[in-house]
């Protein structure tokens, strides 16, 4: 089953305590697609400017990502500049220029409207809804959101939530959306707003997935070196939704396995700046870390892998 | 198999955002013993002052904790006063009076010297070593430590570490002891200092256990309400060592199951002030939360419990 992801394709300038990188290919749709393509075909629906580099288009194309929905317009590509603190869970946005993204109004090609799996990346909830209107019978709809939309377009977001199978957001956003400081109360309150599953991302502390079946807590894979957390949340979603689309069925067991694959993909992203680690990643590396991850969290230590 | 715990028995005055409590029974040996007694008989070796309340002695005695090694001297019992921040991982010590604990020099009764399981609570490493000298052939020795001992008595601590099966410490202490900021590097570096297993406690973010077999990451049980984190680390150790002593054998699988029981015991402690939740806890409640915990972290969602 193929996936359509709608979101941003951007040029990021990133500083962390480990160094920096300028005008590197990024954006929520990009990270999601580059992660999920390991599991299933994926199509990006987004907009870029006339400055979008042919080699970046080529890079995505070579990784079997369908770019027919990547509109190119005159103007500049969305640009973000940010700096991470020593505690990489915290970052400051130093500059943000929406550019051509400001007037983004996604329209899906007819064959993409028949998609079964849909990921609505972090864009305005009314745009997410606009996309959803074009896809009459999806099998699964997942969406990401952020503090800005929660604070400024709450009504739009609340209208969208009951139509979602999965909502992903971070711990602060779950608190903001629910008004509950305690994370368990916050997760359960967001679940009551309509999504069937709520994935609360906690950066280096992993994630907690809330559903009717209960809670699933998954740690972040402990790494010796974290270089740049940009895109980790979208790569997590790419691993999760990619796995679900590949398996063609959604149940609690698959949602949990998917969250492990999400953690695995996110753990690779942070090892290098930008997309650096994801673009050359192999399925063998993913499989090896998946096994190491299962060993990491297996309380019975069944030792089905040797280390 | 029975356990001997050497550590503090104290009166604590605690403030959290949820309220406070004055002069309540606490101390590392107390929390450890009240948690581990669910698994196996436990003996406390500690010192209290002439102000130690008969009802507190009675409370421990009624929970089958052996108090023959609880020395009572003229003077005051160890007193600690602390305040937790909104982020309960952070606390300030407002006042600390060692009192009779200042001249504590533990001497074990002959039958306690034949103990198989030994927990050296958070006291000076030379005192921990003194206890170890009195126990010629333990099956398992575990110890806790803190920033104060790492900074001020590092040589004593480094001498002790190779004699430990398990060292427990928190993330900041692991960083201080190893000089490594990254937690994976820190845990592995501490492992190289001698302990067979290193348990790094991360408060509300759970724990990571390092051993030759690899890493085991366990989340904290997500609670709707956290009232007072005091004693959670010692109760964790009580659940872990208690389970190991009960099973009579130590291997990677049992260390992992033990860490889950540790997390379970710690999750109860924080629900009320001081020992409030632990003293009336039943085995049925522990067993129920253990099952819920396994469900929480089971990536295959085998659903051997119904919720």
């Amino acid at each position: 089953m193929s996936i359509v992801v709608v979101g941003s394709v951007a040029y990021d300038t990133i500083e962390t305590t480990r160094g920096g990188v300028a005008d590197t290919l990024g954006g929520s749709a990009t990270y999601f697609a580059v992660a999920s393509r390991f599991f299933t075909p994926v199509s990006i629906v987004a907009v870029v400017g006339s400055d979008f580099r042919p080699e970046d288009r080529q890079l995505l194309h070579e990784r079997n990502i369908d770019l027919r929905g990547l509109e190119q317009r005159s103007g500049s590509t969305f640009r973000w500049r940010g700096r991470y603190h020593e505690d990489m869970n915290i970052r400051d946005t130093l500059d943000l220029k929406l550019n051509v993204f400001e007037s983004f109004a996604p329209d899906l090609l007819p064959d993409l409207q028949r998609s079964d799996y849909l990921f609505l990346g972090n864009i305005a909830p009314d745009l997410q809804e606009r996309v959803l209107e074009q896809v009459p019978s999806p099998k699964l709809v997942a969406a990401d959101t952020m503090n800005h939309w929660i604070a400024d377009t709450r009504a739009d977001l609340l209208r969208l939530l009951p139509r979602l199978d999965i909502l992903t957001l971070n711990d602060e956003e779950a608190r903001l959306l629910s008004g509950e400081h305690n994370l368990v109360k916050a997760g359960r309150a967001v679940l009551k707003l309509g999504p069937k599953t709520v994935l609360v991302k906690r950066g280096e502390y992993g994630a907690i997935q809330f559903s009717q079946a209960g809670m699933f807590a998954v740690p972040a894979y402990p790494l010796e070196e974290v270089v740049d957390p940009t895109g980790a949340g979208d790569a997590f979603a790419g691993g999760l939704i990619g796995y679900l689309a590949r398996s063609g069925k959604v149940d609690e067991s698959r949602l949990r396995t998917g969250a492990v694959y999400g953690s695995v993909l996110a753990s690779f992203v942070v090892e290098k700046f930008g997309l650096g680690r994801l673009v050359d990643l192999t399925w063998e590396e993913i499989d090896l870390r998946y096994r190491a991850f299962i060993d990491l969290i297996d309380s019975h230590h069944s030792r089905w892998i040797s280390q």
Side-chain angles (χ1 to χ4, degrees), chain A:
Chain A
M1 309 264 184
S2 64
I3 307 175
V4 168
V5 52
V6 184
S8 59
V9 171
Y11 283 136
D12 294 339
T13 296
I14 305 161
E15 291 172 49
T16 80
T17 53
R18 301 299 317 284
V21 67
D23 291 322
T24 192
L25 178 61
S28 62
T30 310
Y31 280 101
F32 178 93
V34 176
S36 60
R37 53 118 186 177
F38 287 102
F39 299 90
T40 198
V42 54
S43 305
I44 288 181
V45 174
V47 62
V48 291
S50 42
D51 58 347
F52 193 65
R53 299 180 291 248
E55 59 266 37
D56 289 328
R57 180 179 287 274
Q58 185 62 16
L59 181 148
L60 297 173
H61 175 71
E62 281 172 2
R63 279 156 192 82
N64 297 316
I65 295 165
D66 172 26
L67 299 175
R68 290 174 302 141
L70 183 65
E71 188 188 344
Q72 190 157 11
R73 279 201 219 154
S74 68
S76 292
T77 299
F78 180 15
R79 273 177 162 75
W80 176 77
R81 190 158 68 85
R83 185 185 292 147
Y84 290 85
H85 292 217
E86 166 93 39
D87 172 356
M88 289 203 195
N89 284 330
I90 307 169
R91 74 179 188 189
D92 301 322
T93 289
L94 303 177
D95 194 22
L96 189 147
K97 288 196 177 66
L98 289 175
N99 297 329
V100 295
F101 201 71
E102 198 157 11
S103 55
F104 180 46
D107 286 310
L108 273 57
L109 293 168
D111 67 306
L112 298 185
Q113 297 181 6
R114 292 190 294 273
S115 293
D116 285 324
Y117 289 79
L118 195 56
F119 183 68
L120 306 168
N122 182 11
I123 55 176
D126 62 334
L127 288 187
Q128 293 176 319
E129 199 175 19
R130 177 193 169 101
V131 173
L132 200 45
E133 298 297 345
Q134 299 172 39
V135 183
S137 58
K139 274 187 105 157
L140 180 136
V141 181
D144 190 41
T145 193
M146 70 181 293
N147 46 11
H148 175 66
W149 311 125
I150 296 169
D152 294 355
T153 58
R154 176 177 284 264
D156 291 346
L157 184 60
L158 290 178
R159 207 170 54 240
L160 181 75
L161 294 181
R163 304 178 68 179
L164 299 180
D165 295 285
I166 302 174
L167 173 70
T168 71
L169 73 182
N170 72 28
D171 39 8
E172 281 315 310
E173 292 156 358
R175 290 185 174 112
L176 186 63
L177 180 54
S178 65
E180 294 281 0
H181 181 79
N182 176 281
L183 203 58
V184 181
K185 285 186 186 168
R188 290 185 175 150
V190 175
L191 201 59
K192 283 196 183 134
L193 296 175
K196 291 197 188 71
T197 296
V198 174
L199 179 85
V200 180
K201 300 173 284 182
R202 309 172 87 189
E204 65 166 312
Y205 303 117
I208 303 185
Q209 199 163 251
F210 295 82
S211 69
Q212 290 308 324
M215 293 183 284
F216 175 50
V218 64
Y221 190 78
L223 292 168
E224 292 219 352
E225 205 143 57
V226 175
V227 170
D228 171 19
T230 307
D234 294 303
F236 190 118
L240 166 63
I241 311 302
Y243 172 79
L244 292 174
R246 169 72 161 261
S247 75
K249 210 179 145 184
V250 179
D251 56 27
E252 178 67 15
S253 174
R254 286 177 180 83
L255 278 164
R256 288 174 175 223
T257 301
V260 173
Y261 275 112
S263 306
V264 165
L265 269 299
S267 79
F268 284 116
V269 175
V270 304
E271 290 183 335
K272 288 192 181 172
F273 277 100
L275 286 165
R277 186 71 175 91
L278 270 197
V279 289
D280 292 329
L281 193 64
T282 65
W283 177 257
E284 288 64 36
E285 289 176 302
I286 294 173
D287 189 50
L288 203 65
R289 188 163 291 176
Y290 175 80
R291 288 162 187 260
F293 203 101
I294 293 294
D295 187 65
L296 171 77
I297 64 173
D298 176 15
S299 64
H300 301 101
H301 193 59
S302 40
R303 299 292 274 156
W304 59 284
I305 66 153
S306 57
Q307 290 195 324

